């Protein structure tokens, strides 16, 4: 029979209690729990100043000196030593490091050094006492050298907070990372793919039609160099078509905080409109600067009347294709080919009808910090998808400079044989009123028919994030051009008889756009995306408007969406299209807690309406599976419809399968996307990679989950690719320890990586194989002293296991080999340490988590 007696000693001014703590042999998992909880019990909280009285423990110390437990006698007390901690500088994560801690005034204090302080951005030259310290010197009292500085160690969270006054830090300290820490990554061969296809059968046609789309982004990494190719393949109603969107060689130039690109690329869009070219470009990279504005991709919103195919084109290339159910949709995972350039969105309904609209895409106002210089130099040849386009050689240079008082001056020149342009602009920050930039461009153009033109263009851009009103993003822009103004793309692509795209027949006159996303607290949120453009020698306007309102209350989400599109009146494809959608979604509970029921209604201005009802949700442990099923009905003879869709996101990629039918059509669509990475340690399959990745290396640790990445687990060799990590920033790559096998341990479950653009950086985890063991240690016929340290003896390069000995000589150790030696130490003298030889018994069949722990006894000599 198992007998358990618990003793916890608490002391306060009003109460004193002493109870014996012990566990009888044969208590199995209770003993394990008690040993693992030992240290926590020793630091139990009480009122006022609490301490632990070691004399309350019934330990016979005739032949052994009691271990000094004073370290545990006050709240927060822990053993000194080296700990892996997250370092926070002024509440911002700085790094994860191994830091030595010593005991100062009953608390653990970190041993800092000058290189670490310099890396944090401390202005060492302002503190002569710091500079005069002998090297290497351990600093445990930072406040002695820097007034108002402080450090605090949160032991149970493994977090070290360091507070340093801003005046003691360099101007770029917050968020700044020493370029010497940037990691160029491993040599690697990369392939990222996205495939979608559909088989569609319609009753008004004979047979069926197939449609395929393949997107490939491949490359090679060697040192700082990145070789990339972006290609697509399409097959549908016409002939199969391969298109190489770009091929280029790129590397960062850290001394200039710039990117060098050789090959096919796109010019920056800060000053002039972005255009595709083949040549050489050297341009500033905002990501290398701390606290800089980062680029963004637009959110494409629309409404589908039925299960539809959505195709997104930019600069004439198809860059995205997917299948969506009936109702309002959002596309948020675009991979733009350039930093600006309108996106042409085509919605192909189940009955074959098409609707098109423009999604504007341009940058925010041109603003940089005071003293910052941002530039771009380009020399190359214009390239285009238009069959009648000119392809002249050209050069372009732009410069942006930050002036005092939140003001930015910028300009640029562009020149080719038949075209020249110059631009000059000014940006200013108005504090709470947002930021605004305005520029004027002058261009001279000679078209291919010999006609010469000269004109001006004025552009105004405004942006503001209003925290007080929870307006999360606002961008407004307007441009007006005189009749004689042509931008570089228009000058090369406008030609008589070029009817491939009516937009290439006329030069633009004016353009306006507005994007707002407004949160309303408990009353939901709404958005507006508006765009209008007109052309010289063309009547009417090209317009698009998408607006919507969403509200969630008590597990029910209500949505209202409206989309309006219009093209100029004398265009052969002239049409005005209006779509309205209403959605109600209800969260389900119980066993279907990750599922939702929905009801959608869509209607257009011609009176065509459809409605559908269904449910959707996620399944599996990591929400890897996303599914939806719906049934609908439409008027005007379109009858019944239905759809079913499922997407699975796993370690080796993502797959999708769907089926939908209408009154006169049936469609099966399918897709797969993912990546393949060849690296020095082998080949690893992955999910969609993104631009920059981390390679998890935990040899032998199969099926371990990577935290915060759905479906990303280590493969059968212990490798995994973590996609979409931030460039020139600290990224924490963490493994879920509870998903480790019983016979595997890792030294630390988190690694910090700082990749350069396009790198494959290594997150190397040390794995250790062995058993989990509860060992009872004896010395001179009695249990080893309570509080002694037991350490597995291995070579210095190997991660070793250690633990504190319990009341009856028990110690819990993991990753233990079949046999070996454990060193036990309860003092510094030779007679206060011993060695124990052990042999781990054979495993028994596991019935619960605790039965995987093996128990044994060993004698210490």
């Amino acid at each position: 029979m198992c007998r358990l007696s618990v003793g916890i000693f608490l002391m306060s001014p009003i109460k004193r209690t002493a109870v014996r703590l012990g566990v009888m042999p044969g208590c199995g998992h209770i003993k394990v729990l008690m040993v693992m909880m030992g240290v926590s019990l020793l630091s139990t909280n009480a009122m006022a100043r609490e301490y632990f009285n070691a004399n309350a423990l019934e330990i016979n110390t005739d032949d052994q000196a009691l271990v000094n437990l004073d370290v545990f006698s006050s709240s927060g007390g822990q053993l000194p030593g080296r700990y892996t901690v997250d370092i926070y500088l002024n509440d911002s994560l700085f790094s994860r490091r191994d830091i030595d801690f010593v005991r100062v005034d009953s608390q653990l204090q970190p041993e800092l050094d000058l290189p670490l302080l310099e890396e944090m951005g401390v202005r060492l030259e302002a503190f002569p006492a710091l500079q005069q310290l002998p090297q290497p010197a351990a600093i445990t009292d930072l406040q002695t050298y820097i007034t108002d500085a402080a450090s605090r160690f949160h032991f149970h969270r493994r977090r070290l907070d360091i507070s340093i006054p801003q005046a003691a830090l360099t101007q770029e300290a917050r968020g700044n990372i020493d370029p010497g820490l940037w990691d160029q990554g491993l040599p690697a061969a990369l392939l990222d793919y996205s495939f979608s296809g559909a088989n569609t059968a319609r009753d008004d046609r004979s047979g069926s039609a197939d449609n395929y789309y393949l997107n490939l982004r491949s490359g090679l990494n060697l040192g700082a160099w990145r070789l990339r190719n972006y290609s697509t393949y399409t097959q549908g109603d016409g002939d199969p078509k391969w298109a190489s969107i770009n091929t280029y060689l790129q590397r960062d130039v850290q001394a200039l905080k710039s990117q060098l690109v050789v090959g096919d690329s796109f010019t920056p869009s800060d000053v002039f409109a972005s255009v595709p070219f083949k040549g050489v470009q050297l341009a500033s990279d905002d990501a290398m600067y701390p606290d800089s504005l980062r680029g963004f991709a637009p959110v494409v919103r629309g409404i589908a009347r039925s299960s539809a195919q959505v195709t997104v084109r930019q600069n004439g290339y198809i860059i995205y294709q997917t299948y969506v159910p009936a109702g309002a949709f959002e596309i948020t995972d675009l991979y733009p080919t350039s930093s600006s350039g309108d996106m042409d969105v085509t919605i192909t309904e189940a009955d074959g009808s098409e609707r098109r609209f423009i999604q504007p895409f341009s940058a925010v106002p041109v603003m940089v910090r005071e003293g910052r210089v941002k530039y771009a130099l380009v020399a190359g040849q214009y390239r285009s998808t238009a069959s009648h386009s000119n392809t002249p050689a050209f050069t372009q240079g732009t410069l942006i400079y930050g002036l005092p008082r939140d003001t930015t001056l910028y300009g640029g020149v562009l020149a080719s044989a038949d075209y020249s342009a110059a631009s000059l602009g000014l940006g200013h920050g108005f504090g709470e009123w947002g930021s605004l930039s305005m520029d004027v461009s002058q261009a001279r153009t000679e078209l291919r028919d010999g006609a010469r033109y000269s004109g001006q263009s004025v552009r105004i851009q405004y942006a503001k994030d209003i925290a007080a009103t929870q307006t999360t993003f606002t961008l407004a822009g307007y441009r007006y051009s005189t009749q004689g103004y042509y931008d570089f793309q228009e000058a090369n692509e406008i030609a008589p008889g070029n009817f491939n795209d009516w937009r290439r027949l006329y030069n633009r006159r004016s353009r306006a756009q507005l994007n707002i996303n407004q949160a309303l607290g408990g009353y939901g949120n709404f958005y507006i995306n508006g765009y209008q453009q007109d052309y010289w020698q063309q009547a009417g306007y090209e317009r698009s408007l998408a607006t919507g309102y969403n509200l969630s209350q008590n597990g029910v989400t209500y949505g209202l969406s409206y989309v309006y599109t219009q093209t100029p009146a004398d265009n052969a494809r002239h049409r005005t299209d209006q779509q309205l959608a209403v959605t109600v979604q209800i969260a389900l509970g119980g066993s279907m807690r990750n599922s939702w029921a929905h009801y959608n209604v869509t209607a257009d201005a011609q009176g065509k309406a459809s409605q559908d009802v269904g449910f959707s949700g996620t399944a599996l442990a990591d929400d890897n599976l996303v599914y939806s099923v719906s049934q609908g009905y439409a008027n005007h003879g379109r009858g019944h419809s239905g759809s079913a869709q499922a997407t699975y996101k796993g370690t080796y990629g993502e797959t999708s399968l769907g089926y939908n039918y209408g009154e006169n059509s049936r469609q099966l669509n399918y897709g797969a996307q993912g990546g393949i990475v060849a690296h020095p340690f082998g080949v690893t399959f992955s999910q969609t990679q993104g631009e920059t990745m981390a390679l998890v290396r935990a040899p032998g640790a199969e099926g371990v989950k990577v935290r915060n990445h759905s479906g990303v687990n280590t493969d059968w060799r212990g490798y995994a690719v973590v996609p979409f990590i931030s460039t020139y920033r600290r990224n924490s790559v963490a493994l879920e320890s509870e998903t480790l096998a019983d016979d595997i341990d890792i030294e630390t479950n988190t690694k910090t990586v700082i990749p350069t653009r396009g790198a494959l950086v290594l997150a190397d985890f040390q794995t250790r194989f062995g058993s989990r063991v509860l060992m009872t240690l004896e010395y001179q016929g009695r249990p080893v002293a309570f509080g002694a340290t037991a350490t597995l003896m291995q070579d210095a390069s190997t991660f070793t296991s250690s633990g504190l000995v319990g009341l009856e000589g028990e110690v819990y150790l993991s990753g233990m080999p079949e046999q070996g030696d454990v060193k036990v130490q309860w003092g510094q003298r030779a007679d206060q340490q011993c060695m124990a030889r052990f042999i781990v018994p054979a495993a028994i069949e596991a019935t619960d988590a605790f039965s995987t722990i093996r128990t044994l006894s060993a004698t210490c000599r």
Side-chain angles (χ1 to χ4, degrees):
M1 182 179 68
C2 172
R3 288 195 297 118
L4 170 68
S5 57
V6 179
I8 303 174
F9 187 87
L10 300 178
M11 183 126 182
S12 72
I14 60 175
K15 185 174 182 180
R16 178 189 300 252
T17 305
V19 185
R20 185 179 185 275
L21 173 61
V23 183
M24 295 298 293
C27 287
H29 62 273
I30 298 179
K31 179 182 286 190
V32 177
L33 284 172
M34 295 304 299
V35 173
M36 297 175 71
M37 292 170 58
V39 174
S40 297
L41 291 173
L42 291 175
S43 57
T44 303
N45 290 330
M47 293 184 298
R49 179 185 181 274
E50 66 270 26
Y51 66 91
F52 181 81
N53 187 348
N55 294 322
L57 297 174
E58 296 182 9
I59 300 177
N60 190 328
T61 59
D62 294 342
D63 300 313
Q64 299 180 45
L66 181 66
V67 177
N68 185 1
L69 297 177
D70 289 344
V71 66
F72 300 117
S73 64
S74 59
S75 176
Q78 298 293 344
L79 286 174
R82 171 166 291 197
Y83 295 97
T84 301
V85 297
D86 290 323
I87 302 175
Y88 281 76
L89 175 61
N90 296 340
D91 290 325
S92 295
L93 179 62
F94 171 73
S95 180
R96 172 170 284 243
R97 299 286 177 88
D98 290 332
I99 300 293
D100 290 320
F101 288 83
V102 296
R103 191 178 176 208
V104 178
D105 296 332
S106 76
Q107 297 293 325
L108 291 186
Q109 293 293 337
E111 290 189 330
L112 308 177
D113 56 29
L114 292 184
L116 179 58
L117 293 179
E118 186 175 20
E119 187 180 336
M120 289 180 179
V122 175
R123 297 169 53 240
L124 297 180
E125 67 278 4
F127 304 97
L130 276 177
Q131 291 183 309
Q132 294 171 6
L133 288 175
Q135 295 300 317
I139 303 169
T140 59
D141 50 347
L142 189 60
Q143 65 278 6
T144 301
Y145 302 93
I146 303 176
T147 304
D148 295 328
S151 65
R152 182 180 181 185
F153 182 33
H154 304 272
F155 180 82
H156 296 292
R157 296 163 58 189
R158 292 296 193 271
R159 168 169 169 162
L160 173 60
D161 275 307
I162 297 178
S163 174
I164 299 178
Q166 198 65 37
L169 300 174
T170 59
Q171 189 173 4
E172 291 187 330
R174 181 175 293 273
N176 186 57
I177 299 176
D178 184 357
L181 301 176
W182 295 348
D183 190 350
Q184 296 290 1
L186 301 168
L190 313 170
L191 176 63
D192 197 41
Y193 64 88
S194 177
F195 170 78
S196 63
N199 177 272
T200 306
R202 296 189 177 93
D203 294 344
D204 57 350
R205 297 183 181 181
S206 59
S208 61
D210 291 304
N211 179 281
Y212 305 106
Y213 172 71
L214 178 64
N215 182 311
L216 295 175
R217 295 189 292 273
S218 55
L220 294 173
N221 285 6
L222 184 61
W225 292 97
R226 319 278 184 245
L227 177 63
R228 295 291 186 268
N229 174 263
Y230 186 8
S231 298
T232 62
Y233 171 81
T234 54
Q235 179 179 332
D237 296 333
D239 296 330
K241 181 180 179 181
W242 274 101
S244 178
I245 296 178
N246 53 45
T247 301
Y248 60 91
L249 187 65
Q250 177 179 345
R251 67 155 297 156
D252 57 9
V253 183
Q254 297 183 6
L256 300 177
K257 287 187 168 55
S258 304
Q259 295 288 335
L260 173 66
V261 178
V262 180
D264 303 331
S265 189
F266 297 83
T267 61
S269 60
D270 300 310
V271 180
F272 297 108
S274 179
V275 297
F277 73 93
K278 182 188 294 291
V280 181
Q281 175 176 273
L282 180 65
S284 300
D285 186 353
D286 280 343
M288 294 186 180
Y289 288 85
D291 303 322
S292 297
L293 293 174
R294 310 299 293 270
F296 69 96
V299 175
V300 174
R301 293 183 171 95
I303 298 175
R305 295 197 304 259
S306 61
S307 298
Q309 178 193 74
V310 178
T311 304
V312 181
R313 293 177 174 86
Q314 187 181 33
N315 296 310
Y317 297 105
I318 297 177
I319 64 169
Y320 192 92
Q321 184 170 287
T322 190
Y323 297 87
V324 300
F329 64 85
E330 289 186 356
I331 298 175
T332 59
D333 57 345
L334 288 173
Y335 189 90
T337 60
S338 64
S339 56
S340 72
D342 294 342
M343 295 186 176
D344 189 342
V345 183
T346 302
I347 302 174
T348 305
E349 300 288 353
D351 60 3
S353 61
E354 288 188 356
R355 291 180 290 116
R356 298 179 65 186
F357 65 90
I358 292 296
Q359 170 68 53
F361 180 25
S362 63
V364 295
V366 183
M367 294 285 295
V368 296
R369 291 175 179 269
E370 180 180 345
R372 163 85 189 278
V373 176
K374 183 178 180 180
Y375 71 94
L377 301 172
V378 182
Q381 183 181 34
Y382 181 80
R383 61 188 180 95
S384 172
T385 57
S387 58
H388 296 82
S389 176
N390 284 338
T391 57
F394 74 99
T395 58
Q396 176 180 310
T398 59
L399 183 67
I400 305 172
Y401 181 68
L403 298 172
R405 300 183 182 276
D406 294 330
T407 302
T408 298
L409 180 66
Y410 61 94
V413 294
L414 190 159
S416 69
D418 299 321
Y419 181 88
S420 62
S423 180
L424 184 64
L426 193 69
H428 184 71
F430 293 92
E432 295 182 356
W433 295 96
S435 58
L436 181 143
S437 66
M438 182 175 70
D439 53 71
V440 179
S441 298
Q442 171 75 38
R444 298 180 183 274
T445 307
E446 182 177 342
L447 298 181
R448 64 190 67 187
D449 60 2
R452 297 184 178 182
Y453 298 90
S454 178
Q456 299 81 37
S457 179
V458 178
R459 180 181 64 165
I460 300 174
Q461 295 185 107
Y462 172 81
K464 172 61 179 172
D465 287 345
I466 308 174
T469 60
Q470 299 184 54
T471 304
T472 57
F473 179 73
T474 304
L475 169 64
Y478 180 77
R479 177 190 286 273
Y480 177 82
S481 304
T482 62
Q483 188 169 2
Y485 180 85
Y486 293 79
D487 66 25
F488 194 44
Q489 179 182 11
E490 293 169 337
N492 289 303
E493 296 185 359
I494 289 179
N498 181 9
F499 294 104
N500 291 334
D501 188 342
W502 63 269
R503 293 183 184 88
R504 288 174 169 146
L505 290 174
Y506 313 103
N507 57 321
R508 286 180 284 267
R509 180 176 182 175
S510 66
R511 170 191 178 104
Q513 70 181 80
L514 176 68
N515 296 275
I516 298 177
N517 190 4
Q518 175 67 60
L520 301 173
Y523 298 97
N525 73 286
F526 76 90
Y527 64 86
I528 299 176
N529 297 331
Y531 159 79
Q532 175 177 290
Q533 186 163 263
D534 64 340
Y535 298 78
W536 289 104
Q537 304 172 356
Q538 170 89 325
Y541 291 92
E542 179 183 28
R543 290 172 172 153
S544 69
L545 173 67
T547 183
Y549 171 78
N550 297 284
L551 172 65
S552 294
Q553 287 187 342
N554 301 321
V556 181
T557 300
Y558 308 90
L560 177 65
S561 304
Y562 173 76
V563 173
Y564 173 89
T565 60
Q566 176 187 337
T567 52
D570 59 349
N571 170 38
R573 294 183 177 180
H574 166 64
R575 63 189 300 177
T576 297
D577 182 73
Q578 300 181 68
Q579 299 287 328
L580 179 69
V582 178
T583 300
V584 178
Q585 182 173 274
I586 303 173
L588 304 179
S591 60
M592 302 185 69
R593 59 181 180 83
N594 291 328
S595 300
W596 300 265
H598 70 263
Y599 175 71
N600 297 323
V601 178
T602 63
D604 62 16
Q606 287 73 43
K608 293 182 179 180
S610 62
Q611 55 185 320
D612 72 273
V613 62
F615 69 94
S616 59
T618 62
L620 304 183
D622 200 22
D623 292 331
N624 306 58
L625 181 65
V626 180
Y627 62 88
S628 65
V629 179
S630 66
Q631 178 69 35
Y633 179 81
N635 63 1
H636 287 260
R638 291 176 294 161
H640 291 86
S641 63
S643 67
Q645 198 83 21
T647 300
Y648 176 77
K649 182 179 289 188
T651 300
Y652 305 121
E654 182 176 326
T655 57
S656 62
L657 180 65
Y659 175 78
N660 60 77
Y661 72 91
E663 192 74 10
N664 302 303
S665 65
R666 293 161 302 282
Q667 183 186 77
L668 176 69
N669 58 72
Y670 41 86
Q673 58 183 357
I676 305 173
V677 180
H679 48 81
F681 308 104
V683 177
T684 303
F685 292 83
S686 72
Q687 296 179 3
T688 297
Q689 299 165 351
E691 183 183 36
T692 308
M693 299 157 284
L695 176 68
V696 170
R697 180 175 183 259
E702 178 182 359
V704 181
K705 175 175 168 48
V706 179
R707 185 178 299 168
N708 299 326
H709 291 272
S710 178
V712 178
N713 300 278
T714 56
D715 61 16
W716 61 277
R717 298 190 310 121
Y719 291 82
V721 174
V722 182
F724 299 102
I725 62 175
S726 300
T727 57
Y728 308 103
R729 295 293 187 269
R730 290 183 175 85
N731 297 262
S732 292
V733 180
L735 302 181
E736 297 283 4
S737 301
E738 58 269 24
T739 60
L740 287 166
D742 293 333
D743 60 346
I744 297 178
D745 265 342
I746 53 177
E747 179 179 8
T748 177
N749 73 326
T750 304
K751 294 290 184 179
T752 300
V753 295
I754 308 173
T756 57
R757 187 173 297 278
L760 174 70
V761 292
L762 179 64
D764 198 4
F765 294 86
Q766 279 189 290
T767 54
R768 181 183 59 185
F769 298 87
S771 306
R772 297 192 295 166
V773 170
L774 179 64
M775 183 182 299
T776 301
L777 296 169
E778 288 189 355
Y779 178 67
Q780 296 181 352
R782 298 186 181 183
V784 166
F786 172 62
T789 302
T791 305
L792 175 66
M793 297 303 294
Q794 296 190 102
D795 61 83
S797 62
T798 306
F799 167 40
T800 60
S801 180
S802 63
L804 292 179
V805 176
L807 283 175
E808 297 185 2
E810 312 98 330
V811 61
Y812 173 78
L813 300 171
S814 60
M816 299 290 282
E818 292 184 2
Q819 58 182 342
D821 296 292
V822 170
K823 181 180 180 180
V824 184
Q825 187 172 357
W826 58 89
Q828 299 300 320
R829 302 195 310 267
D831 61 348
Q832 292 178 320
Q833 48 191 295
C834 60
M835 298 286 292
R837 183 73 179 172
F838 68 88
I839 299 178
V840 177
I844 60 174
E845 183 177 353
T847 58
D848 56 44
F850 292 105
S851 60
T852 61
I853 300 175
R854 309 186 198 184
T855 59
L856 61 91
S857 298
T859 301
C860 203
R861 294 182 173 85

